[in-house]
Amino acid sequence: MTASHHGLDAAIVEEIAAAGRFAAERGWVPATGGNFSRRIDARSIAITRSGAAKDRLTGRDIAIVALDEQTPAGVSAETPLHVARYRRVPAIGAVLHVHSVPATVLSRLQVEEGELALYGYEMHKSLAGFTTHESTLRIPVFANRQDTAALAEEIERRLGDDTVVPGYLLSGHGLYAWGTNMADARRHLEGLEFLLECHLEERRLMR
């Protein structure tokens, strides 16, 4: 199977392109890194192709992928990670992956513990389900693997259906965040990135 961009709704293309510009402006997707996807319907998603510059995405940089078929050629190598989330949780409408410095560094530091625990930040309330800063936010951390299909299976076994935090870290790779729609996913991405940046700065100051 080969990926196609034909039939992509212009509004979906613009949602993904806007997410790319949003991340690029913040320095979260250097050197064509990162990938972005959006659910089309119960059976398919739109996702960025491999090697696309995220600050200037067009319809040709975005492919339609069926959730019940093998990953086609030409899409991001991380497509199985996106597909696995959509398959597992039908309520997910968008998944965003970035390579920010805080996410990349902290994921390496915390991979042995398997999570990064944050407490006391007001920005916890930017995430669905969190209503107070007096809470502990536990972001799962996974070791990275080149076999992304196997990695996706490993991640889904641990996350299950009811992930409390709408995101996870891959060691040396960055952050994945999702939401019921693109606006939610972008809010969760921005909130988590802010929290990661704060935590990394705290570690610096406490040395």
Side-chain angles (χ1 to χ4, degrees), residues 35 77-82 96-111 114-116 139-148 150-152 154-156 158-159 167-178 196:
N35 37 75
E78 282 86 45
T79 296
L81 301 175
H82 290 250
L96 307 176
H97 168 51
V98 297
H99 293 207
S100 72
V101 170
T104 304
V105 171
L106 289 170
S107 65
R108 285 168 56 86
L109 295 177
Q110 294 297 131
V111 67
E115 69 175 23
L116 174 63
I139 305 172
V141 183
F142 298 91
N144 196 18
R145 297 171 64 174
Q146 288 299 117
D147 186 342
T148 54
L151 177 58
E154 175 190 339
I155 289 170
E156 293 305 322
R158 180 170 156 197
L159 293 184
Y168 62 77
L169 292 166
L170 284 181
S171 179
H173 195 158
L175 173 68
Y176 273 81
W178 54 85
L196 293 172

Side-chain angles (χ1 to χ4, degrees), residues 65-121:
V65 172
L67 293 176
D68 59 353
E69 297 183 19
Q70 283 192 322
T71 303
V75 296
S76 167
E78 282 86 45
T79 296
L81 301 175
H82 290 250
V83 168
R85 280 278 76 200
Y86 289 111
R87 284 177 175 170
R88 190 64 179 260
V89 186
I92 290 176
V95 178
L96 307 176
H97 168 51
V98 297
H99 293 207
S100 72
V101 170
T104 304
V105 171
L106 289 170
S107 65
R108 285 168 56 86
L109 295 177
Q110 294 297 131
V111 67
E112 293 299 324
E113 287 79 1
E115 69 175 23
L116 174 63
L118 306 176
Y119 179 81
Y121 290 104

